[in-house]
Amino acid sequence: MAEAPKLPAVIVDPHHHFYEPSKHAFSAYLGSLGAPDWTPEEYVAATGALNVTKSVHVEALPDDGVAEAAWVASLVEAGRAPTVKAVVGKCDLAAADAAAKLDDLKAAAPGLLRGIRYIIDYDGPFGEDNGTHVEVKRHGLDYLRDAAAAASFERGFALLADRGLSYDLQCAPAQLDAAAALCARHPRVAVVLDHAGKARKLDGSAGDAAKLDVWRAGVAKLAALPQVRVKLSMLGYLVPGWTADAAKEAVVAGLAKELLALFGPRRCMFASNWHGSGSSSNADYCGPAARDPTHLGRSGPTKKRNRGDAAARRG
């Protein structure tokens, strides 16, 4: 019989989602991707065996970030989301009205809004075998490496500092170098690198080498910046099938150890990425996966501090 996973007594989950496309127009795009409703009650039930005391709700591809933030705040106020202590909302930082939208977001989730995520992983046209996110196909721009697009994005990014908001950086490994340069120019903006930097489709074979070279160079530059933290999450995207294959699990453990060594335990967070696809999803969105949470304790090198301290300071 396999040994039961050893989980910490107290867990702070720094990254999860709720959404109800069947009820809310601001989730129409997510609904068009086939996402089912994923409610706070389901999150509470799914994490019932874990002692999640605090959590951070992260935007889930809304068409209207302000409306989504207001909805999440209403869930908290109604007692339906008892763990949520912070919200990371969506704002198009490249938009001309980014400043006004940031202020609207703070008003929509008073006392809860802690940061912004605007998904920008671009690695070529969406639909090809690359790391471009489905959200990015809405605009098809590289906000880190295309000069004109990057200038607009940086103007919005700079607005976060005076508002006391962090930025959740979700980008492709090939963009990490440019992301590090952006962060270096704005040391007052706290940044959280989402999903371990999103190395993609690793399996422990020789074919991983070129991918890892790019990823390692980028995460090392980000780790050198004291305002940057990292989430160890969406591990099935990095290494598909890792929960059912010991060799692949070893690859995941190795990546986690590398990030821990680079960032140090106090700047690492272990996040569930809980949503309708489950935290072990082998896809970036709406992919089939089990919702069983027990495997989250199997990642080896993570320690209690990684599951609480950095996230607790954020929430």
Side-chain angles (χ1 to χ4, degrees), residues 129 173-174 176 197-218 237-238 240 255:
D129 186 15
L176 290 171
K198 296 196 73 178
R200 180 171 173 268
K201 291 187 177 180
L202 304 174
D203 59 12
S205 70
D208 289 353
K211 299 177 186 178
L212 287 172
D213 284 347
V214 173
W215 175 80
R216 285 179 174 131
Y237 178 83
L238 278 68
L255 295 173

Side-chain angles (χ1 to χ4, degrees), residues 48-307:
L50 310 173
N51 189 20
V52 178
T53 59
K54 296 181 181 179
S55 68
V56 179
H57 183 276
V58 178
E59 63 87 15
L61 283 63
D63 300 88
D64 183 339
V66 173
E68 182 197 51
W71 174 65
V72 176
S74 75
L75 297 175
V76 174
E77 184 176 4
R80 292 181 59 194
T83 65
V84 174
K85 306 301 179 186
V87 167
V88 173
K90 176 185 175 180
C91 177
D92 179 355
L93 295 177
D97 64 348
K101 283 294 174 65
L102 289 172
D103 294 337
D104 289 346
L105 277 163
K106 294 191 79 169
L112 286 173
L113 190 75
R114 295 288 191 276
I116 297 298
R117 180 173 77 162
Y118 189 58
I119 292 175
I120 54 175
D121 16 357
Y122 180 88
D123 198 25
F126 178 78
E128 297 180 0
D129 186 15
N130 58 36
T132 298
H133 195 279
V134 65
E135 173 80 328
V136 175
K137 80 171 185 176
R138 298 211 217 192
H139 53 73
L141 297 173
D142 187 339
Y143 281 119
L144 290 170
R145 295 177 296 177
D146 177 85
S152 297
F153 180 79
E154 185 164 0
R155 283 193 292 271
F157 184 85
L159 297 172
L160 300 176
D162 287 341
R163 289 167 173 78
L165 297 173
S166 63
Y167 179 69
D168 267 46
L169 170 64
Q170 182 172 317
C171 66
Q175 296 173 294
L176 290 171
D177 188 83
L182 170 68
C183 294
R185 292 193 295 271
H186 299 274
R188 293 175 55 224
V189 179
V191 172
V192 182
L193 177 62
D194 279 0
H195 306 321
K198 296 196 73 178
R200 180 171 173 268
K201 291 187 177 180
L202 304 174
D203 59 12
S205 70
D208 289 353
K211 299 177 186 178
L212 287 172
D213 284 347
V214 173
W215 175 80
R216 285 179 174 131
V219 294
K221 289 183 178 180
L222 285 167
L225 303 173
Q227 77 272 26
V228 180
R229 290 164 173 76
V230 63
K231 292 176 188 171
L232 310 181
S233 54
M234 211 167 79
L235 304 177
Y237 178 83
L238 278 68
V239 186
W242 74 272
T243 61
D245 184 313
K248 290 182 176 181
E249 184 174 344
V251 176
V252 167
L255 295 173
K257 289 177 180 178
E258 287 191 50
L259 291 172
L260 283 163
L262 282 169
F263 286 87
R266 293 188 63 83
R267 291 198 290 148
C268 291
M269 294 174 266
F270 187 89
S272 74
N273 193 33
W274 220 262
H275 62 302
S277 296
S279 62
S280 63
S281 177
N282 292 333
D284 200 3
Y285 60 95
C286 305
R291 297 190 183 197
D292 178 7
T294 57
H295 73 275
L296 294 177
R298 296 171 52 204
S299 54
T302 57
K303 300 179 181 179
K304 180 177 179 180
R305 173 175 295 183
N306 310 124
R307 300 170 192 242

